[in-house]
Amino acid sequence: MPELDRIDGGPRSAIVIGAGVVGLSTAWFLQERGVPVTVVDRTGIAAGASWGNAGWLSPGLTIPLNEPGVLRYGLRALLDRQAPLHVPATPDPRLWAFLARFAAHCTGKSWTRAAQANLPLNDECLEAFDVLTANGVDAPTIDAPITAVFENTRSAAGLLAELRRLREAGQEISCTGLTAADLAEQFPQVTARNGAGVRLDGQRYVDPGRFAESLARSVVSRGGTIRHRFAVASVRQHSDALTVRSATGQTLSADAVVLATGAWLGELGRRWGVTVPVRAGRGYSFTVPTEDPVPGPIYLPDIRVACTPYRGGLRVAGTMEFREPDAPLDQARVEAIIASARPLLTGIRWEERTDVWVGSRPVTTDGRPVIGAAGAPGLFVAGGHGMWGLTHGPVTGRLLAEHITTGKQPQALRPFDPLR
């Protein structure tokens, strides 16, 4: 670990709570700046949303969730048990308060603000991955376009409109329209029912579980410590340090503490002034064998399903389910994904699926994550990235490590102030 790189006046030690990609990236870049780090997690490495997601590194698709049209779609989805968006009938007042605040941010102005806030992260996110993979993280990122497929050109209009709005907000996007013949030639998995496509260039994908595990090994090899099954019950401020206490009474102290607990962020953050609500938007995935190799990521926007080449088969991911993060897996959601995707894909052995998984994406009400200083000296927050925690994880860690060690807030982090 480059101890000489530590900034004078910066922390002499740090604890990162959360061993997902965001937390591990923050730990790695803190080490790069000479700060000894301990990472703790309630379960283990990549136990939340970092393991089973689609693995896309897709700055060109970082479309904020608070799109104005989502309100109409959401109201229809409430009546459809098979819809990709699922809100269970529950008397949970916090959930309905969250959804009300989210609805209030589903405006053109709020959407544009979130899209523009993402621009600096999008510009640097792939380069941040390159820094990691060039310096000990043994999990390659694979350059590949993401191909969205539709039944016809009319169906493609919605995605093209969203991409056009992203361009207008300042995002660089390179996309090409594809015909039914193009799709048939390039993707043996795409059925004849699909008559149009959009190829989004300049994207990548990765095996997310392998990446997180390799990132964790790199943190340890550079002198860091990772403690599993350390469920944090409280963070306390003292005159010269912060103390983290586990549910079993174990304690650790450091000059800096980072809350990177994903969908559980609100539990610890509220006490320290983080009033931006963060809820679990749960996603499901599974792996299926395929008759032919899958040449690259396939996106099915009409049913909100992402498909990625994965260990010789296909990882299929979808659903946005607003339930408690620790709620059990709902097999009906898996069946809904299969029912919607089966007519659109062929050569998939659906009944032989493995690695059935549910994970909780941390979603905020205004479409922007919370990254930066919380309401106590030395306490920081990193989370709430929604669908883009993997894409933005390493660049978040790099920018936050700069903030922690220099005491100066990078310009790119200002829209994500946890105390906004």
Side-chain angles (χ1 to χ4, degrees):
M1 184 172 61
E3 189 68 35
L4 293 178
D5 289 349
R6 183 165 61 84
I7 305 297
D8 290 342
R12 293 163 296 178
S13 60
I15 298 168
V16 176
I17 306 172
V21 168
V22 172
L24 291 169
S25 296
T26 304
W28 196 95
F29 282 105
L30 281 170
Q31 290 178 312
E32 192 74 357
R33 289 174 166 266
V35 181
V37 177
T38 297
V39 180
V40 301
D41 193 276
R42 63 199 295 268
T43 305
I45 296 164
S50 292
W51 185 85
N53 62 71
W56 291 2
L57 312 182
S58 49
L61 276 175
T62 53
I63 301 169
L65 291 174
N66 58 321
E67 203 275 329
V70 80
L71 289 181
R72 294 188 300 275
Y73 173 77
L75 290 173
R76 292 196 306 270
L78 286 175
L79 304 176
D80 183 1
R81 176 72 175 135
Q82 303 299 310
L85 173 63
H86 178 56
V87 181
T90 172
D92 182 356
R94 283 190 175 180
L95 171 59
W96 295 106
F98 173 90
L99 293 174
R101 289 183 64 173
F102 180 85
H105 283 285
C106 290
T107 65
K109 181 178 180 179
S110 186
W111 185 94
T112 299
R113 184 175 183 181
Q116 291 177 336
N118 281 333
L119 295 178
L121 303 187
N122 291 340
D123 288 345
E124 299 182 19
C125 65
L126 298 181
E127 193 262 338
F129 273 92
D130 292 339
V131 170
L132 294 172
T133 56
N135 290 279
V137 178
D138 182 22
T141 64
I142 301 166
D143 290 297
I146 293 174
T147 302
V149 299
F150 305 89
E151 291 193 37
N152 49 54
T153 54
R154 182 184 303 173
S155 298
L159 177 63
L160 291 172
E162 289 182 315
L163 294 178
R164 184 165 56 250
R165 290 186 64 195
L166 278 180
R167 271 205 192 102
E168 292 170 355
Q171 177 64 44
E172 182 178 341
I173 293 174
S174 174
C175 62
T176 303
L178 301 176
T179 65
D182 295 329
L183 293 174
E185 179 182 358
Q186 297 175 29
F187 290 95
Q189 291 77 26
V190 173
T191 68
R193 179 170 169 174
N194 297 288
V198 176
R199 189 186 70 224
L200 189 65
D201 295 310
Q203 315 304 300
R204 303 185 194 178
Y205 68 94
V206 68
D207 179 334
R210 177 183 172 185
F211 183 85
E213 290 167 357
S214 183
L215 180 54
R217 287 195 297 271
S218 183
V219 168
V220 171
S221 72
R222 290 151 61 93
T225 300
I226 298 179
R227 298 185 59 170
H228 299 183
R229 302 194 182 282
F230 192 105
V232 175
S234 66
V235 178
R236 297 182 179 178
Q237 181 183 11
H238 304 284
S239 59
D240 58 347
L242 292 162
T243 297
V244 172
R245 184 180 181 85
S246 77
T248 59
Q250 303 173 76
T251 60
L252 297 170
S253 295
D255 297 327
V257 170
V258 179
L259 309 182
T261 51
W264 295 265
L265 185 61
E267 296 178 15
L268 293 173
R270 276 190 295 269
R271 179 182 174 187
W272 302 104
V274 183
T275 58
V276 178
V278 178
R279 293 286 304 200
R282 302 191 340 151
Y284 285 72
S285 74
F286 51 88
T287 303
V288 283
T290 59
E291 301 297 339
D292 297 292
V294 184
I298 303 170
Y299 182 31
L300 307 173
D302 289 340
I303 58 172
R304 306 295 199 274
V305 167
C307 304
T308 312
Y310 182 74
R311 302 186 182 184
L314 187 71
R315 171 168 280 179
V316 181
T319 293
M320 176 66 76
E321 178 189 50
F322 284 101
R323 295 181 68 192
E324 290 299 319
D326 291 317
L329 182 147
D330 183 356
Q331 188 63 35
R333 305 308 304 159
V334 176
E335 298 295 341
I337 293 172
I338 293 172
S340 63
R342 192 189 292 271
L344 305 175
L345 299 174
T346 188
I348 311 296
R349 300 205 293 271
W350 298 105
E351 304 311 317
E352 298 176 36
R353 59 187 176 274
T354 57
D355 298 332
V356 179
W357 172 91
V358 62
S360 295
R361 314 177 193 97
V363 177
T364 64
T365 51
D366 62 5
R368 289 175 282 149
V370 285
I371 312 167
L379 185 64
F380 299 85
V381 171
H385 293 79
M387 305 279 286
W388 317 116
L390 179 62
T391 298
H392 287 162
V395 68
T396 292
R398 183 164 70 175
L399 290 166
L400 186 57
E402 176 186 343
H403 188 9
I404 291 168
T405 55
T406 66
K408 299 178 181 178
Q409 183 186 48
Q411 180 68 30
L413 294 186
R414 292 187 178 180
F416 310 124
D417 188 341
L419 306 183
R420 63 179 182 268

